[in-house]
Amino acid sequence: MTETQSSNDISTRLRRIAELARRRSGEALTTLAHHIDVDFLRKAYQRVRKDGAVGVDGQTADEYGEDLEANLRSLLDRFKTGRYRAPAVRRVEISKGNGKTRAIGIPTVEDKVLQRAVTMVLTEVYEQEFLPCSFGFRPGRSAHQALQTFWQEAMDMHGGWVLEVDIEGFFDSLDHAHLRRFLDRRVRDGVLRRTIDKWLKAGVLVEGQLQRPKGGTPQGGVISPLLANLYLHVVLDAWMEREVLPRLRGRAVLIRYADDFVILFAREDDARRVQAVLPRRLGKYGLRLHAEKTRLVPFGRPRSGAVEPQTFTFLGFTLYWGKSRKGAWVVKRKTSKESVRRGLRRVSDWLRAHCHWPIAVQHQRLLKMLRGHYNYFGVTGNANALNHYRHAVMKLWYRRLNRRTHRGRMTWSRYLRLITLRFRLPNPTVVHSIYRRVANPRT
């Protein structure tokens, strides 16, 4: 079978799983693991990042691929017979750019392959269940779609009240007993469930010491985002859709990206009622709101005599009301101060570690970092923040180059000539235009 035929066969299988899930809506599915074979695992391996950090066994994706067919056959046999043992996850701390760190779990390559395969199957099942308010880690959905949805809803409502919510340590607080009950509702395939249980019970290697957390799912695991979406689908999304929204006096909309979400209300009294009951709802399932980061924000369109609208941060942007070119009040977005600090910290740390590399190589890396920043933050109305970011990167690079040359050789004017004639840093571009989306909503 050719690679194209194999890919088409996998796509056909995934469509069949989706059709089965739709046809048997609300029922528990007991036969799913038979869809996973060597071809399926091969496809999963192709989707695994090849430049990712290594797990506890130190094996890279390329090394695993040197004898790929034999490795996949062995993996499939152990998976189907129950002899597969989930290895410990290597935990590392990465900087959040504000002096704090976030724990990331790094599975082995083989674990990533199997997690990817199981995730491919479960995604087809749960995509038939998940609601439109959920945007994180779902096929065909993105953070910018979440932001665009908020923009459209806020404009239609002429603003309102925003409940900005932060769940404290969500990925470490996820309760395994509740998660298993949620899985029971739709997935009771013994092979899949046995494997998921092994991942939930797998130890975490921290500085050479093996720990076995009683709850949570480590960020970094391939299957973790899907399990997190399932958890919050039951705890939050479906609860809001079926129990909360029908009882409100005015309009409201929930917009969630993974564990980051906001709720926009047309009426203040509705917002305060939900704000009061939300901690009890989440607490029932072992989750706790961050007291300092959860707040109710007046976000009505500015008008005389009304409460002055505030700003809030969502998915890396600060959202606020501003005037359009035609003088109308519109919801605008700009890069949040924290996102700017975090981005510049990454640039500064990289330049410090590679200050003696050739200028041309440094330039290529900076181009990649700038384009990555523009690709996410390049939205309509954010030009000032993007230009500020580019200028800050220019200054960081100048300081590093100036320190490695003899005193007085790298003047600012010489540096400007250098980056103008040979190593230009690109100007910001609008990648995500509100106006293009309004004119063509399907884009």
Side-chain angles (χ1 to χ4, degrees):
M1 181 182 293
T2 66
E3 184 174 339
T4 302
Q5 290 173 326
S6 176
S7 180
N8 291 337
D9 178 60
I10 301 302
S11 298
T12 300
R13 271 185 262 179
L14 293 176
R15 284 196 299 270
R16 288 174 179 168
I17 296 171
E19 291 170 2
L20 175 67
R22 281 194 297 269
R23 191 168 62 250
R24 297 177 58 182
S25 177
E27 298 181 32
L29 306 178
T30 58
T31 55
L32 292 170
H34 68 278
H35 291 284
I36 299 177
D37 58 11
V38 172
D39 288 337
F40 205 98
L41 291 175
R42 188 184 303 110
K43 188 68 174 180
Y45 172 79
Q46 292 170 359
R47 295 186 180 185
V48 169
R49 281 186 55 185
K50 303 303 184 291
D51 59 346
V54 298
V56 294
D57 60 357
Q59 187 180 45
T60 66
D62 290 337
E63 291 171 347
Y64 188 83
E66 290 176 359
D67 195 8
L68 183 62
E69 296 305 309
N71 287 333
L72 295 182
R73 283 194 294 271
S74 172
L75 174 60
L76 180 66
D77 179 65
R78 286 177 282 130
F79 167 62
K80 293 292 181 72
T81 61
R83 293 185 293 110
Y84 181 79
R85 293 186 177 182
V89 174
R90 184 170 70 90
R91 176 164 290 184
V92 296
E93 301 287 336
I94 62 171
S95 173
K96 296 174 64 174
N98 57 1
K100 298 181 181 180
T101 60
R102 175 185 291 113
I104 296 293
I106 304 176
T108 64
V109 174
E110 186 170 73
D111 215 22
K112 291 178 183 178
V113 172
L114 189 54
Q115 285 193 31
R116 175 63 64 191
V118 172
T119 300
M120 289 163 61
V121 171
L122 295 185
T123 294
E124 298 303 322
V125 174
Y126 286 111
E127 276 301 302
Q128 319 313 314
E129 306 286 323
F130 291 160
L131 298 174
C133 62
S134 169
F135 292 88
F137 305 103
R138 294 181 59 190
R141 291 180 157 247
S142 68
H144 285 283
Q145 289 178 336
L147 290 162
Q148 181 66 18
T149 298
F150 178 89
W151 181 88
Q152 190 65 62
E153 294 287 348
M155 293 295 293
D156 290 346
M157 288 187 198
H158 304 299
W161 292 78
V162 172
L163 183 57
E164 183 183 7
V165 183
D166 184 272
I167 301 177
E168 190 171 357
F170 169 72
F171 283 89
D172 293 327
S173 305
L174 189 146
D175 184 272
H176 290 174
H178 288 306
L179 177 60
R180 291 187 182 99
R181 283 195 291 271
F182 299 159
L183 285 164
D184 281 342
R185 300 177 183 182
R186 289 295 274 149
V187 177
R188 293 186 185 174
D189 181 292
V191 176
L192 293 185
R193 292 299 302 275
R194 182 171 57 232
T195 306
I196 293 173
D197 275 345
K198 290 179 180 180
W199 286 325
L200 293 177
K201 296 175 182 177
V204 178
L205 197 64
V206 182
E207 297 180 351
Q209 298 295 319
L210 184 63
Q211 301 177 3
R212 296 191 180 278
K214 295 181 179 180
T217 174
Q219 296 186 60
V222 177
I223 201 170
S224 294
L226 186 140
L227 297 179
N229 268 337
L230 170 60
Y231 204 87
L232 286 177
H233 166 75
V234 178
V235 173
L236 180 67
D237 303 354
W239 172 71
M240 281 289 298
E241 181 78 14
R242 298 164 189 169
E243 299 185 35
V244 177
L245 295 182
R247 292 179 168 88
L248 300 182
R249 299 176 64 186
R251 187 175 170 188
V253 59
L254 164 68
I255 301 170
R256 181 175 67 81
Y257 188 93
D259 62 324
D260 196 356
F261 67 93
V262 296
I263 311 175
L264 173 65
F265 299 88
R267 297 174 58 98
E268 180 183 1
D269 56 347
D270 285 339
R272 296 198 179 278
R273 287 169 60 198
V274 175
Q275 183 183 26
V277 74
L278 188 60
R280 294 196 296 272
R281 172 65 183 181
L282 297 183
K284 180 180 177 181
Y285 296 95
L287 304 177
R288 183 172 60 182
L289 295 183
H290 196 296
E292 296 179 359
K293 296 181 180 180
T294 299
R295 63 192 184 115
L296 186 60
V297 179
F299 199 71
R301 186 169 62 180
R303 61 182 187 274
S304 177
V307 177
E308 185 69 21
Q310 299 180 15
T311 66
F312 70 96
T313 300
F314 185 46
L315 300 179
F317 288 91
T318 296
L319 288 87
Y320 64 101
W321 284 94
K323 287 291 188 72
S324 69
R325 293 179 181 179
K326 295 183 179 180
W329 286 108
V330 296
V331 176
K332 292 191 171 185
R333 288 172 270 172
K334 62 182 178 181
T335 315
S336 70
K337 292 181 180 179
E338 183 179 349
S339 296
V340 171
R341 285 195 296 268
R342 187 163 53 242
L344 293 178
R345 171 68 65 182
R346 283 196 296 266
V347 172
S348 179
D349 290 345
W350 190 90
L351 287 173
R352 183 184 300 110
H354 303 87
C355 60
H356 296 295
W357 282 23
I359 294 180
V361 177
Q362 292 186 37
H363 177 245
Q364 289 302 312
R365 178 61 178 177
L366 289 177
L367 286 180
K368 184 176 181 181
M369 297 175 83
L370 273 175
R371 286 168 181 157
H373 188 85
Y374 297 162
N375 285 341
Y376 186 78
F377 293 103
V379 302
T380 303
N382 197 31
N384 288 340
L386 293 175
N387 283 317
H388 168 75
Y389 186 83
R390 177 181 180 272
H391 188 67
V393 171
M394 286 174 55
K395 290 196 294 185
L396 286 173
W397 198 20
Y398 166 70
R399 290 170 186 166
R400 283 297 158 191
L401 292 178
N402 190 43
R403 288 178 182 178
R404 80 174 197 172
T405 59
H406 295 297
R407 186 173 182 179
R409 291 184 59 187
M410 180 61 75
T411 63
W412 179 253
S413 59
R414 181 190 169 203
Y415 171 71
L416 289 179
R417 288 195 302 271
L418 186 70
I419 65 173
T420 300
L421 299 177
R422 295 185 59 192
F423 303 112
R424 184 173 178 81
L425 297 178
N427 291 320
T429 56
V430 175
V431 179
H432 308 277
S433 170
I434 289 176
Y435 304 110
R436 284 200 298 266
R437 290 183 179 273
V438 171
N440 184 9
R442 295 184 179 181
T443 61

